């Protein structure tokens, strides 16, 4: 069966998420540069696509695990009627599903923090679009890399404000929207390494 082959695994579990992330990220960057009126719409569609991709990938891995055990002489003893169905679900929860609440919940919390910053800065620093970008980037980064992602965005924004303030010779808050895009690229390329350096690897579930 093709779906149980290594090629299908590579396509569905590895390349499909990367393709979806790349398409929507490139679209969002393009919209920010040339058509900002379309940015929110693209971000919302991207967030929906990312959530679907996570769920589809996890569902596929659950099915693949069941198919693998079912076609293995030893694996059959780990499925009903030899074992309670709860054993299988406990296994797939700890291996394929447990990170989903952390990913989705973490993305929402980061968006909430951005909205609070927007209220404090009266919209001069961040706004609703940045909250969507926080979710967008967090879903690309995954858990716990999204924590490194958010920290990088804040550091880049602070450095940008300092440089701009020195040039203008005054303290000023600048929009941090472009730093969300920069942070997503940095974490996508080096997120795992940065997470380890920051000691966040212990939060991996």
């Amino acid at each position: 069966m093709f779906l149980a082959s290594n090629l299908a695994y590579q396509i569905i579990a590895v390349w499909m998420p990367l393709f979806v992330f790349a398409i929507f990220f490139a679209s969002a960057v393009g919209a920010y540069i040339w058509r900002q009126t379309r940015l929110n719409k693209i971000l919302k569609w991207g967030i929906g696509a990312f959530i679907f991709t996570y769920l589809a990938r996890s569902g596929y891995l659950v099915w693949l695990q069941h198919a693998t055990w079912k076609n293995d002489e030893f694996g059959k003893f780990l499925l009903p009627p030899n074992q309670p169905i709860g054993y299988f679900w406990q296994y797939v929860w700890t291996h394929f599903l447990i990170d989903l609440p952390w990913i989705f919940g973490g993305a929402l919390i980061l968006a909430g923090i951005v909205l609070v910053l927007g209220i404090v800065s009266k919209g001069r620093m961040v706004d609703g679009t940045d909250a969507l970008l926080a979710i967008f980037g967090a879903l690309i980064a995954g858990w716990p890399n999204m924590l490194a992602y958010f920290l990088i965005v804040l550091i880049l924004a602070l450095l940008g404000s300092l440089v701009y303030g020195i040039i203008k010779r005054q303290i000023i808050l600048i929009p941090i929207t472009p730093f969300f895009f920069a942070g997503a690229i940095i974490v996508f390329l080096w997120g795992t390494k940065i997470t380890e350096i920051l000691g966040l690897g212990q939060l991996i579930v």
Side-chain angles (χ1 to χ4, degrees), residues 189-201:
L189 296 175
W190 302 291
T192 302
K193 187 65 177 179
I194 295 173
T195 297
E196 292 177 356
I197 293 174
L198 295 175
L200 299 174

Side-chain angles (χ1 to χ4, degrees), residues 153-192:
V153 171
L154 294 179
I155 292 174
L156 290 176
L158 177 60
L159 292 176
S161 295
L162 288 175
V163 172
Y164 192 77
I166 291 173
I167 294 175
K168 294 293 184 179
R169 295 183 179 181
Q170 60 179 329
I171 299 175
I172 188 170
L173 293 177
I174 63 174
I176 69 173
T177 303
F179 302 115
F180 278 104
F181 290 112
I185 294 174
I186 294 172
V187 172
F188 180 80
L189 296 175
W190 302 291
T192 302

Side-chain angles (χ1 to χ4, degrees), residues 45-189:
W45 276 97
I47 290 169
F50 295 169
I51 291 174
F52 175 80
T53 299
Y54 272 112
L55 295 175
R57 180 182 183 276
S58 297
Y60 169 74
L61 293 176
V62 170
W63 173 86
L64 183 62
Q65 185 63 61
H66 185 274
T68 301
W69 281 0
K70 186 176 181 180
N71 294 315
D72 181 76
E73 290 300 322
F74 175 75
K76 290 179 180 179
F77 290 98
L78 302 176
L79 294 172
N82 301 295
Q83 292 287 345
I85 190 63
Y87 176 84
F88 171 75
W89 285 113
Q90 182 181 15
Y91 182 89
V92 297
W93 169 258
T94 56
H95 286 79
F96 309 127
L97 303 175
I98 195 172
D99 60 332
L100 294 181
W102 291 91
I103 293 171
F104 299 151
L108 288 175
I109 291 173
L110 292 186
I113 295 174
V114 171
L115 289 175
V116 171
L117 291 176
I119 294 173
V120 172
S121 67
K122 297 181 180 180
R124 291 178 297 169
M125 188 174 180
V126 292
D127 55 20
T129 298
D130 296 307
L132 290 175
L133 267 171
I135 298 176
F136 188 85
L139 292 177
I140 292 177
W143 179 268
N145 289 1
M146 66 175 63
L147 300 178
Y149 160 72
F150 195 61
L151 181 61
I152 289 170
V153 171
L154 294 179
I155 292 174
L156 290 176
L158 177 60
L159 292 176
S161 295
L162 288 175
V163 172
Y164 192 77
I166 291 173
I167 294 175
K168 294 293 184 179
R169 295 183 179 181
Q170 60 179 329
I171 299 175
I172 188 170
L173 293 177
I174 63 174
I176 69 173
T177 303
F179 302 115
F180 278 104
F181 290 112
I185 294 174
I186 294 172
V187 172
F188 180 80
L189 296 175

Side-chain angles (χ1 to χ4, degrees), residues 2-84:
F2 174 72
L3 286 176
S5 67
N6 184 61
L7 177 59
Y9 171 81
Q10 292 293 325
I11 293 174
I12 298 174
V14 180
W15 295 110
M16 181 185 72
L18 291 177
F19 178 76
V20 173
F21 292 161
I23 288 296
F24 278 98
F25 183 81
S27 299
V29 171
Y32 179 70
I33 296 174
W34 293 293
R35 295 283 184 88
Q36 291 197 14
T37 55
R38 297 184 178 180
L39 180 57
N40 278 15
K41 185 176 181 180
I42 291 175
L43 291 175
K44 291 175 182 178
W45 276 97
I47 290 169
F50 295 169
I51 291 174
F52 175 80
T53 299
Y54 272 112
L55 295 175
R57 180 182 183 276
S58 297
Y60 169 74
L61 293 176
V62 170
W63 173 86
L64 183 62
Q65 185 63 61
H66 185 274
T68 301
W69 281 0
K70 186 176 181 180
N71 294 315
D72 181 76
E73 290 300 322
F74 175 75
K76 290 179 180 179
F77 290 98
L78 302 176
L79 294 172
N82 301 295
Q83 292 287 345

